[in-house]
Amino acid sequence: SPTGMVLSVLVILLLSMLYEAIKMGKAVLLRRALLALPRSLSRESLVEPEEGDTSSTQGRWFRYHVGQTLFHVVQVVLGYMVMLAVMSYNAWIFLGAIAGSTLGYFV
């Protein structure tokens, strides 16, 4: 039905936008994780915190890494969902995926 097709295209458009948002969020977490690493990457500085260092560098880096991992899993699941929708070989759904990806990257 026409209503079902419009809803399907809208859902695929939103999934594509969410995919792009997750991709950008993952990049932001990567930047924060790199900034959380100490200047020197010696084993001692990663295992033992420096004197007077109240924040745990290793703990912050690990939390960012876990966040990146979760974002990656969500990104892969969304990517496969959009891919399967596009493989229905429906031109409107394909255009919805392209438009969603474009809007998601633009925003």
Side-chain angles (χ1 to χ4, degrees):
S1 73
T3 306
M5 180 56 71
V6 169
L7 287 176
S8 297
V9 170
L10 185 63
V11 166
I12 294 302
L13 186 132
L14 292 174
L15 284 176
S16 296
M17 286 181 69
L18 184 61
Y19 177 84
E20 290 294 329
I22 294 289
K23 189 168 72 170
M24 298 308 271
K26 207 167 96 172
V28 168
L29 273 180
L30 175 62
R31 186 176 58 224
R32 288 184 183 173
L34 291 176
L35 290 174
L37 284 174
R39 296 262 184 227
S40 111
L41 290 178
S42 67
R43 181 181 171 115
E44 294 80 22
S45 68
L46 288 175
V47 175
E48 300 172 4
E50 296 177 7
E51 295 81 21
D53 189 15
T54 58
S55 64
S56 172
T57 302
Q58 186 178 8
R60 278 189 295 150
W61 179 84
F62 184 73
R63 282 193 299 266
Y64 287 135
H65 187 65
V66 168
Q68 281 181 311
T69 303
L70 294 176
F71 271 161
H72 179 74
V73 168
V74 172
Q75 183 183 6
V76 167
V77 169
L78 284 174
Y80 276 117
M81 288 172 63
V82 171
M83 179 196 67
L84 287 173
V86 168
M87 288 183 67
S88 70
Y89 299 108
N90 185 313
W92 291 109
I93 290 181
F94 173 73
L95 291 174
I98 296 298
S101 180
T102 304
L103 286 173
Y105 185 80
F106 182 73
V107 171

